[in-house]
């Protein structure tokens, strides 16, 4: 058989053959397998719209706000690109958390997918990092003061905290150095790292295939990944694009007044919804417990919690023996309940 010039150099036939042979388990939870791809789709939207925004954005305090105003008011379709970027960031964080908790409840982290889980937790931290660093860029009042408060949170940790805050801020105040650092982290360091980790995450899920939850009654059926499951992915992404377009057009993302560092923080300022659990926990914990700084306790609690979250596949002994133990499920449900409760409390009190 005559092979084409391209096929001799790029193993496209082998890749297509691998995808054709790949099967996706079909059972009553199969719909959750769409969420990882959906998160990836929003990530792609972020990259495309983010690159377009860098063409006009200027990362220094005297021009940043004006450059965003120009994007919104003067650049053709600039307002739409910015609105899609901001809305898609929120949708991506929401789908990431849904994806994370769905794989958690389906116990998809168990052997041999421990590394898939670990790369997933790293991705969660990277995505929250994107949100935090991107927030300051428009240099408006809310962004400025939220960043001022947010960057101070780790300072309670002796030595390491002040060091981390110093690296992030580039000095004592939120100024030109801070904005430049946030911009570089947001547009270069995080995207390159995220693309690398997403590559490992997706490669490993393709390699292992989707897991079947333990304790599922009856043998699951299967559908082909290519093209049957990919069609479902494409339909989900098309629906997501329609909703995103619709929301971004009907509720264009706002831009506040230019930040005035000499003014005092506006009353009732609070972070975006995804940082509210941390914000509300800091409000709930007293400033000192048995003589120990409350903020230090929260910081250490978050670090310990992250350690446990990374180690979930190794802590769930029942799932590693293909049994659907209750303990981890209860832990996950309690965590979800706590996150939801603190968000509601922060918005209503
Ligand atoms: C940028 C963020 C992320 C992207 C683009 C992404 C993408 C994907 C994709 C495409 C899949 C295969 C389809 C599916 O099962 O949904 C997948 C599976 C998986 N992801 Fe993610 N993911 C992300 C974040 C996370 C996070 C935060 C976690 C958990 C901490 C996680 C854990 C997993 C696990 C354990 C699987 C295997 C599921 C199974 O085998 O049934 N992912 N991910």
């Amino acid at each position: 058989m005559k092979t084409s010039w391209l096929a001799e150099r790029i193993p496209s036939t082998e890749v297509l053959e691998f995808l054709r042979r790949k099967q996706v388990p079909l059972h009553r939870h199969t719909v959750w397998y769409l969420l990882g791809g959906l998160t990836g789709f929003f990530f792609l939207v972020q990259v495309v719209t983010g690159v377009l925004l860098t063409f006009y954005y200027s990362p220094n305090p005297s021009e940043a706000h004006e450059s965003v105003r120009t994007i919104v008011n003067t650049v053709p379709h600039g307002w739409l690109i910015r609105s899609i970027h901001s809305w898609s960031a929120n949708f991506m964080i929401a789908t990431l958390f849904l994806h994370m908790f769905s794989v958690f409840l389906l116990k998809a982290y168990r052997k041999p997918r421990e590394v898939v889980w670990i790369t997933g937790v790293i991705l969660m931290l990277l995505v929250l990092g994107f949100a935090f660093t991107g927030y300051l860029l428009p240099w408006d009042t809310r962004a400025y003061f939220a960043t001022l408060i947010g960057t101070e949170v780790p300072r309670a940790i002796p030595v390491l905290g002040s060091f981390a805050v110093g690296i992030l801020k580039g000095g004592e105040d939120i100024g030109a150095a801070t904005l430049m650092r946030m911009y570089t982290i947001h547009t270069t360091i995080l995207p390159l790292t995220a693309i690398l980790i997403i590559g490992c995450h997706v490669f490993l899920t393709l390699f292992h295939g989707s897991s079947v939850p333990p304790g599922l009654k009856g043998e699951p059926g299967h559908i082909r990944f290519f093209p049957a499951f990919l069609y479902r992915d494409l339909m989900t992404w098309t629906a997501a694009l329609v909703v995103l377009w619709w929301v971004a057009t009907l509720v264009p993302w706002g831009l506040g007044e230019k930040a005035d560092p000499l003014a005092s923080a506006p009353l009732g300022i609070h972070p975006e919804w995804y940082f509210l659990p941390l914000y509300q926990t800091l409000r709930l914990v007293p400033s000192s417990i048995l003589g120990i700084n409350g903020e230090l306790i929260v910081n250490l609690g978050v670090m310990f919690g992250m350690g446990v979250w990374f180690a979930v596949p190794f802590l769930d002994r029942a799932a590693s023996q293909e049994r659907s133990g209750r303990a981890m499920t209860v832990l996950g449900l309690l965590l979800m309940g706590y996150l939801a409760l603190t968000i509601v409390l922060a918005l209503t009190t």
Side-chain angles (χ1 to χ4, degrees):
M1 196 175 78
K2 195 170 169 292
T3 41
S4 76
W5 187 91
L6 209 61
E8 273 184 65
R9 281 147 189 92
I10 299 167
S12 50
T13 331
E14 284 82 351
V15 172
L16 265 182
E17 204 40 50
F18 167 76
L19 292 179
R20 269 208 195 97
R21 266 186 280 120
K22 196 179 135 54
Q23 307 258 342
V24 178
L26 193 63
H27 48 79
R28 63 197 164 98
H29 299 301
T30 297
V31 66
W32 298 109
Y33 298 154
L34 294 169
L35 285 174
L38 188 56
T39 312
F41 170 75
F42 284 127
F43 181 77
L44 198 69
V45 172
Q46 288 308 96
V47 173
V48 174
T49 51
V51 168
L52 291 175
L53 288 172
T54 61
F55 293 166
Y56 293 93
Y57 176 76
S58 188
N60 69 71
S62 52
E63 291 171 16
H65 189 265
E66 201 44 49
S67 70
V68 178
R69 206 161 274 291
T70 306
I71 290 172
V72 173
N73 295 332
T74 316
V75 176
H77 307 296
W79 67 274
L80 184 60
I81 300 294
R82 174 171 182 256
S83 192
I84 289 181
H85 191 74
S86 308
W87 277 110
S88 169
N90 281 271
F91 287 167
M92 179 178 168
I93 297 171
T95 54
L96 178 134
F97 276 94
L98 288 175
H99 172 54
M100 183 169 76
F101 282 114
S102 67
V103 297
F104 179 89
L105 293 175
L106 295 175
K107 300 182 187 294
Y109 48 73
R110 70 194 193 284
K111 189 185 162 195
R113 295 179 182 78
E114 296 93 331
V115 182
V116 182
W117 172 263
I118 291 170
T119 50
V121 181
I122 298 174
L123 284 174
M124 177 195 72
L125 295 176
L126 292 176
V127 167
L128 290 177
F130 267 114
F132 187 75
T133 51
Y135 200 60
L136 179 68
L137 303 187
W139 201 257
D140 59 9
T141 308
R142 215 175 114 95
Y144 179 84
F145 286 101
T147 308
L148 189 66
I149 300 165
T151 45
E152 284 306 311
V153 173
R155 206 185 278 282
I157 308 170
V159 190
L160 208 65
S162 308
F163 178 71
V165 176
I167 296 258
L168 209 57
K169 282 169 96 171
E172 276 309 303
D173 306 313
I174 300 277
T178 324
L179 186 58
M180 198 59 202
R181 282 170 191 222
M182 295 285 184
Y183 179 72
T184 310
I185 297 172
H186 188 79
T187 57
T188 312
I189 299 176
L190 288 176
L192 290 180
T193 320
I195 287 168
L196 187 79
I197 307 282
I198 291 176
C200 298
H201 190 77
V202 173
F203 169 77
L204 287 175
T205 47
L206 280 174
F207 178 73
H208 291 302
S210 292
S211 71
V212 178
L216 197 80
K217 298 219 169 36
E219 275 290 299
H222 282 93
I223 51 167
R224 282 174 192 274
F225 173 74
F226 185 81
F229 191 76
L230 207 58
Y231 278 145
R232 295 180 186 207
D233 269 331
L234 287 175
M235 274 161 60
T236 315
W237 302 343
T238 311
L241 188 64
V242 171
V243 173
L244 181 61
W245 199 275
W246 190 66
V247 177
T249 320
L250 289 184
V251 193
W253 200 261
L255 176 65
E257 288 298 310
K258 181 176 175 176
D260 176 4
L262 298 176
S264 43
L267 283 178
I269 188 160
H270 60 71
E272 292 292 287
W273 61 272
Y274 35 84
F275 288 127
L276 288 180
L278 177 62
Y279 164 82
Q280 185 62 20
T281 308
L282 284 164
R283 280 171 88 198
L284 288 173
V285 171
S287 58
S288 167
I289 302 172
L290 300 170
I292 306 171
N293 180 329
E295 275 199 19
L296 174 62
I297 294 178
V298 174
N299 272 292
L300 294 179
V302 170
M303 283 160 74
F304 176 76
M306 281 318 305
V308 172
W309 202 236
F310 267 109
V312 156
F314 310 100
L315 298 174
D316 191 350
R317 306 298 292 270
S320 63
Q321 292 158 11
E322 289 299 310
R323 287 183 288 116
S324 60
R326 291 263 172 273
M328 264 307 162
T329 309
V330 171
L331 177 83
L333 292 175
L334 283 176
L335 179 62
M336 286 161 75
Y338 181 76
L339 296 180
L341 186 72
T342 44
I343 291 180
V344 173
L345 277 177
L347 292 174
T348 52
T349 57

